[in-house]
Amino acid sequence: MFDGMPDYGRNDECWCGSGKKYKKCHIDFDQKLEDLYWQGLEVPTHDMIKTAADIEGVRKSAAINVGALDYVAERIGPGVSTADIDRWVHEYTVAHGAIPAPLDYEGFPKSCCTSINEVVCHGIPSEDEVLKEGDIINVDVSTILDDYFSDSSRMFCIGEVSKERADLVRVTKEAVEAGLAAVKPWGRLGDVGAAVNKYATERGYSVVREFGGHGIGIEFHEDPFVSFCTEPGTGMVMAPGSMFTIEPMINIGGQEIDMTDPNGWTVRTADRSDTAQWEVQIVVTEDGYELLAW
Ligand code: MF3
Ligand code: CO
């Protein structure tokens, strides 16, 4: 095979674990991928394609991820510290038999990321950081259940926020929806990034280049990198079974970021303008996509 996989006999068991014969299962899928590959397109390798069993495993992990964010949503407000949020996420996740993926991930010290106002991503929960009326915060939750990974994040407006902040939060969410609308089986991943980018920039915002979405499922971060600064008609072919996140970081001011915080994690906008992010996790299906985590 073009991706170094063995060539399967028509009567062999399919590589996807369905138990069906190859000729009754992924033979046409592989032919299509191979044709696209020889046309010069970037195609996923078999190890990036999730099997039905993988998808079922991720669904269960994602249900806990969504539940943890719902649990936060019920409790967040003025006077809450980001350490409180971290405790809720940890509490909910372990109570459901799962593990918070951020904890100890490359040395990250907490169970979720909490990023307030000008913090772009990877804010570290702290007792000293107390939410006040007018703040906007991204809470980014990731879960491991039975070795399957899920990942999503939401924005929360604390009490009454300014129109500027409310608009930023809303437009960022709508940009994710524009990205989702561009997800088409056998379409190109660059179309998704381009749709997000167009939606945000047409409304006067800028899009962070350095961070983006990612493949996920078997690992926390898998290929492909999902950029939101892409051209239509470019990037990986979204074959059914491709699983990834859409998680643009959108700024009111310039797109440049500042990664010099001594804690090694907290990322801010270079100009300290406000920034927002929403993250969803999807799997591409034969006829569209399935939303797994939000
Ligand atoms: N949840 C983040 C993402 O969307 C990753 C956070 S890594 C951490 O990819 F270590 F900072 F938690
Ligand atoms: Co992510």
Side-chain angles (χ1 to χ4, degrees), residues 1 6 15 21 28-29 35 48 51 83 85 93 95-96 103 111 122 167 178 195 207 216 227 245 256 261:
M1 280 282 289
W15 52 264
K21 287 188 175 171
D28 293 340
F29 176 96
D35 290 349
M48 293 160 79
T51 67
I85 298 170
T93 306
H96 288 79
L103 192 57
S111 296
H122 302 165
D167 286 347
V207 181
I216 179 168
S227 170
T245 68
E256 293 73 27
D261 192 291

Side-chain angles (χ1 to χ4, degrees), residues 42-45 48 50 105 120-122 151 188-194 196-197 207-216 219-231 234-238 242-249 255 257 259 277 279-280:
E42 197 184 318
V43 298
T45 51
M48 293 160 79
K50 270 56 183 183
Y105 174 77
V120 172
C121 63
H122 302 165
D151 186 8
R188 305 291 293 273
L189 194 54
D191 292 351
V192 177
V196 169
N197 196 287
V207 181
V208 170
R209 283 166 295 193
E210 291 84 348
F211 293 97
H214 48 91
I216 179 168
E219 308 279 349
F220 195 170
H221 297 109
E222 301 175 10
D223 284 339
F225 173 63
V226 182
S227 170
F228 303 104
C229 298
T230 50
E231 293 298 325
T234 64
M236 192 191 81
V237 172
M238 292 181 279
S242 305
M243 189 182 284
F244 55 87
T245 68
I246 300 178
E247 50 175 315
M249 298 164 199
Q255 71 180 166
I257 59 172
M259 300 210 279
Q277 178 185 29
E279 175 177 18
V280 297

Side-chain angles (χ1 to χ4, degrees), residues 161-172 174 205:
V161 307
S162 67
K163 180 172 181 342
E164 285 70 24
R165 285 181 172 172
D167 286 347
L168 171 68
V169 168
R170 175 181 50 81
V171 169
T172 304
E174 290 167 357
Y205 299 104

Side-chain angles (χ1 to χ4, degrees), residues 114-126:
T114 48
S115 304
I116 304 175
N117 301 338
E118 77 285 359
V119 176
V120 172
C121 63
H122 302 165
I124 303 175
S126 158

